[in-house]
Amino acid sequence: MNPRVVFVQNTCDVCDASSDDVLHALNEHGLSETTSVVRIAPTTLNGLFDSIRDIANALDCQDRGNNLIQSLQDRLGRVKHEIAQLKAPRPRILSLEGLAPLCTGGHWLPDLKYESGCIDALGDIGGCPAKILMWDEIVDADPDILVISPCSATPERTLNELHLLASNPNFWKLRCVQKGCVYIIDHGLFSRPGPRLVEGIEMMATL
């Protein structure tokens, strides 16, 4: 295999190889001189659109990139229109991207929550880093909605690991738990910065 373009990322070293690992592999196989390396590492929703543009430019298919961006932005516009019709306060939402330890994903996730008609219960903004949470922070935030979407876990696996939350008395103190406003969602709609993020926004807005 002699790749012409290699895409690298450094948003998460757990989910994929880091930029340094890829560059080292290219050097080892004598490909560094003949391969264009394009770094794709969005940390916000707008950054996702920039990344689509960068990929399209690298592959010389700018029109397809622009069409995809326009299609995604049109879908976001429809969600925004529907939300405006509600004329209701934005619910405060907490999303957990890890259960042991408890953590929230940061990066583009606060943007997704806002675009879906919610606000981040912890006050996080787009581009912020992921962080480990303590139960007292979650209880103090007391979100209206809890989304459980651990990175790299299927909904089935998350269901099997739900005891990690349910075994803690603080979990049952949350209003969202008492009211049944808790959702387990496929992490691929939130934790991977690609076009599927818009599908995640649409799903969150519906919920």
Side-chain angles (χ1 to χ4, degrees):
M1 181 183 294
N2 293 299
R4 180 175 64 85
V5 180
V6 172
F7 297 104
V8 298
Q9 62 87 41
N10 63 357
T11 303
C12 179
D13 291 343
V14 175
C15 299
D16 209 348
S18 69
S19 301
D20 289 343
D21 290 338
V22 174
L23 293 173
H24 178 72
L26 290 173
N27 281 328
E28 263 197 343
H29 292 86
L31 296 172
S32 57
E33 298 298 325
T34 59
T35 306
S36 297
V37 177
V38 181
R39 180 174 171 269
I40 303 295
T43 58
T44 64
L45 184 59
N46 283 334
L48 164 65
F49 298 132
D50 292 337
S51 292
I52 292 173
R53 251 182 232 104
D54 291 340
I55 293 170
N57 289 336
L59 300 178
D60 197 24
C61 55
Q62 290 88 346
D63 287 346
R64 292 178 65 183
N66 290 333
N67 290 340
L68 175 58
I69 291 170
Q70 188 60 57
S71 171
L72 296 174
Q73 290 179 336
D74 287 346
R75 289 165 63 185
L76 289 177
R78 289 193 288 272
V79 172
K80 186 175 183 179
H81 175 76
E82 292 294 329
I83 291 169
Q85 306 308 306
L86 297 175
K87 296 182 173 62
R90 290 176 176 262
R92 298 166 58 257
I93 184 170
L94 173 68
S95 60
L96 294 176
E97 281 70 50
L99 304 183
L102 296 168
C103 68
T104 186
H107 300 306
W108 49 82
L109 283 158
D111 293 338
L112 267 60
K113 295 167 188 175
Y114 189 83
E115 291 294 332
S116 67
C118 306
I119 55 174
D120 190 279
L122 297 173
D124 288 344
I125 60 174
C128 68
K131 62 183 178 183
I132 293 176
L133 300 175
M134 303 301 291
W135 266 112
D136 59 348
E137 295 177 90
I138 297 174
V139 172
D140 288 345
D142 197 18
D144 300 308
I145 299 170
L146 177 63
V147 167
I148 305 170
S149 182
C151 188
S152 301
T154 63
E156 292 78 14
R157 175 181 164 185
T158 302
L159 277 170
N160 289 330
E161 295 180 349
L162 204 56
H163 64 89
L164 296 171
L165 296 177
S167 61
N168 192 303
N170 287 305
F171 178 70
W172 302 100
K173 294 178 183 178
L174 301 175
R175 286 181 302 109
C176 57
V177 173
Q178 295 168 8
K179 293 180 177 181
C181 294
V182 180
Y183 304 98
I184 294 174
I185 300 179
D186 186 343
H187 82 103
L189 298 176
F190 297 121
S191 61
R192 295 185 181 276
R196 283 179 297 178
L197 291 184
V198 174
E199 185 178 343
I201 290 170
E202 292 167 336
M203 179 181 289
M204 195 181 294
T206 301
L207 294 175

